[in-house]
Amino acid sequence: QLQLVESGGGLVQPGGSLRLSCAASGRTFSSYFMGWYRQAPGKQRELVAAITSGGGTNYADSVKGRFTISRDNAKNTVYLQMNSLKPEDTAVYYCNGRYSFLYNSWGQGTQVTVSS
């Protein structure tokens, strides 16, 4: 089981950028399927971006071309680079790590607010 801590959220203007980080503990981090989820007020939590242990990525249609997920296994960290931010990106962003049905870890979340 991983312990995950998100950071990097904050207030940004539309069109701006933020880089979220998720620091993980655990020697098997490199084996985990990592993802960023977000939940806006009144909405379901949704998968924003995911990255496999091998570096393959997948994105929600709403963020394709704007967000980039990456991982640094040496640092046990996964990142979400968010560019061209829109007000509809406003949400609490959560880091998730999964490895088989036995391991499913969540961070506490970090608030991202996109507003003028």
Side-chain angles (χ1 to χ4, degrees):
Q1 200 79 27
L2 298 178
Q3 290 191 83
L4 306 174
V5 180
E6 303 97 333
S7 62
L11 175 64
V12 64
Q13 295 183 9
S17 298
L18 283 174
R19 189 194 193 201
L20 305 184
S21 297
C22 174
S25 62
R27 296 201 297 175
T28 58
F29 171 79
S30 62
S31 298
Y32 277 70
F33 184 97
M34 303 297 298
W36 286 97
Y37 292 73
R38 68 185 181 188
Q39 187 166 22
K43 296 185 178 180
Q44 297 289 317
R45 187 174 298 186
E46 64 174 342
L47 178 65
V48 176
I51 186 166
T52 69
S53 60
T57 58
N58 188 53
Y59 299 92
D61 289 341
S62 59
V63 306
K64 285 181 179 178
R66 300 188 298 119
F67 290 11
T68 302
I69 188 171
S70 61
R71 67 193 298 163
D72 186 338
N73 290 336
K75 296 181 178 179
N76 277 17
T77 302
V78 62
Y79 305 95
L80 185 67
Q81 178 66 46
M82 304 184 295
N83 299 325
S84 302
L85 283 162
K86 304 174 180 179
E88 51 263 44
D89 295 319
T90 296
V92 177
Y93 284 70
Y94 298 91
C95 182
N96 173 260
R98 187 183 299 273
Y99 181 64
S100 86
F101 64 92
L102 293 175
Y103 303 98
N104 186 20
S105 303
W106 292 92
Q108 294 297 307
T110 185
Q111 177 71 48
V112 172
T113 302
V114 185
S115 176
S116 299

